Amino acid sequence: MKKKWLAILLSITTVMAGLTGCGNSGQGGENAAESKASEAAASGTETGESTAAPAEGELVNVIWQWPAMGATGSGFQAVEDALNAMLEKDIGVHVTLEPALFSDLQNQSTLTITSGEQLDIILQVGTGVTPYVANGLIQPVDEYVEEYGAAIKEKCGTQLLGGYYQGKLYGIPTAYIDGESYGYMARKDILEKYNIEIDPDKLYTLDEVEKIFETVKAGEGDKFFMNIPETTSANMLHNAYCEVDTLGNTPAAGVLMLNRSFTDLTLYNLFETEEYEAYAQKMYEYAQKGYVSSDAATNTEDAN
């Protein structure tokens, strides 16, 4: 019965990348995970799950791992409450979001499952699914998407192909947008104080952003410094200074310089380009003008 509810939840979210079972065994380590996976295959159930259907009116609780950069803040609970206001009424499911550090997602999910704790949905980011599949930590979702996921197939289209591994579908890609966006976060009260209007449809250049910094710095003095969100710092160049394609998570293997041409297939060392030199010079100027905190290189405080 629980499979059905997880499948329905899958079909209305389209943001998770793996489906896991709920372990009840006290065993730990990879062998325990493999053992539980084998037992599940033999019995025709999910890893460690009970086959008993929930009582009439009883909510099915789904534990959903969620990546966090640090402290989640009060808004995190508000998101969970808003989800459950819909899910409990519509499909009888209560979702519990479990924050896990973004940099440690794989370790967190592996430890949780192998220790026997319940974990139903994980968000796999930054690593392939190979270790999850090899250790029996996730299961394919082909049959559930076929039965309940018409909306997933329509929304994802060819992007769904990215969720396959060895011929089986293990993940649902994020398909709410066909691109990435990065930028600076600004306090609304500060913008209003200096009558700064931000056009949400405009891509601002670094020179235009600097004019905003200059205005606020003049009024706020040492109380102001810019703060690039953690997910932004490595990608600011790509979106605000010049367009490149990293062909992966990092520019380590070379990049396509899309700002020069969309037909040039030459791989460039990003850090040897004139564009990167200009970007580095701009960041140096920011620091000299006091737009960057003097302890930015050593400050471990969360961006929020």
Side-chain angles (χ1 to χ4, degrees):
M1 187 68 176
K2 184 176 181 183
K3 285 183 181 180
K4 175 184 176 182
W5 295 121
L6 284 176
I8 294 175
L9 186 61
L10 248 178
S11 69
I12 63 174
T13 57
T14 72
V15 295
M16 68 291 294
L19 188 64
T20 72
C22 310
N24 295 321
S25 169
Q27 290 178 281
E30 295 180 358
N31 291 337
E34 293 171 351
S35 174
K36 286 185 284 186
S38 298
E39 292 171 3
S43 62
T45 67
E46 285 185 274
T47 310
E49 86 170 70
S50 170
T51 57
E56 183 69 26
E58 181 182 346
L59 293 174
V60 175
N61 189 42
V62 172
I63 307 298
W64 186 346
Q65 183 189 70
W66 197 257
M69 295 300 180
T72 54
S74 58
F76 187 79
Q77 186 60 51
V79 170
E80 181 178 309
D81 293 342
L83 277 173
N84 285 316
M86 296 182 289
L87 298 177
E88 292 179 5
K89 174 172 62 71
D90 294 341
I91 62 174
V93 169
H94 177 90
V95 169
T96 300
L97 300 178
E98 291 287 351
L101 286 177
F102 191 87
S103 59
D104 199 35
L105 285 178
Q106 182 175 337
N107 288 336
Q108 289 274 15
S109 55
T110 300
L111 287 173
T112 299
I113 297 170
T114 56
S115 65
E117 298 179 52
Q118 179 179 345
L119 182 60
D120 301 300
I121 300 173
I122 63 173
L123 186 63
Q124 182 272 325
V125 179
T127 60
V129 298
T130 301
Y132 292 101
V133 175
N135 294 321
L137 300 180
I138 60 175
Q139 64 182 37
V141 295
D142 305 69
E143 60 180 288
Y144 308 128
V145 171
E146 283 299 316
E147 186 171 357
Y148 303 102
I152 288 180
K153 292 193 289 185
E154 178 183 358
K155 182 66 176 177
C156 293
T158 57
Q159 295 183 47
L160 194 60
L161 297 176
Y164 282 86
Y165 176 74
Q166 295 183 342
K168 296 181 179 180
L169 182 63
Y170 284 98
I172 307 301
T174 54
Y176 62 94
I177 191 170
D178 290 326
E180 295 178 302
S181 61
Y182 300 91
Y184 293 92
M185 296 187 294
R187 280 172 43 188
K188 183 179 179 181
D189 61 320
I190 293 293
L191 296 179
E192 292 175 345
K193 180 178 180 180
Y194 296 100
N195 296 315
I196 299 172
E197 295 186 4
I198 302 297
D199 182 351
D201 297 320
K202 175 181 173 60
L203 178 62
Y204 286 79
T205 68
L206 293 184
D207 290 333
E208 290 170 327
V209 171
E210 185 174 357
K211 291 179 181 178
I212 297 175
F213 292 164
E214 184 178 2
T215 299
V216 178
K217 186 69 175 181
E220 300 295 316
D222 292 338
K223 292 189 295 182
F224 165 80
F225 59 87
M226 75 169 192
N227 184 21
I228 305 178
E230 186 173 346
T231 55
T232 301
S233 55
N235 297 282
M236 180 58 70
L237 171 66
H238 309 166
N239 292 268
Y241 207 78
C242 72
E243 295 177 331
V244 304
D245 188 336
T246 60
L247 305 177
N249 289 331
T250 74
V255 301
L256 300 178
M257 301 298 293
L258 302 182
N259 65 304
R260 300 180 184 180
S261 169
F262 278 93
T263 59
D264 182 6
L265 299 183
T266 304
L267 286 181
Y268 294 90
N269 181 342
L270 176 63
F271 306 108
E272 291 182 344
T273 63
E274 295 177 358
E275 288 87 347
Y276 189 83
E277 181 181 11
Y279 171 75
Q281 180 63 36
K282 177 62 68 175
M283 293 299 101
Y284 175 76
E285 292 173 3
Y286 276 11
Q288 295 300 108
K289 294 177 179 179
Y291 302 152
V292 181
S293 173
S294 59
D295 65 346
T298 57
N299 192 328
T300 59
E301 189 174 4
D302 179 72
N304 292 321

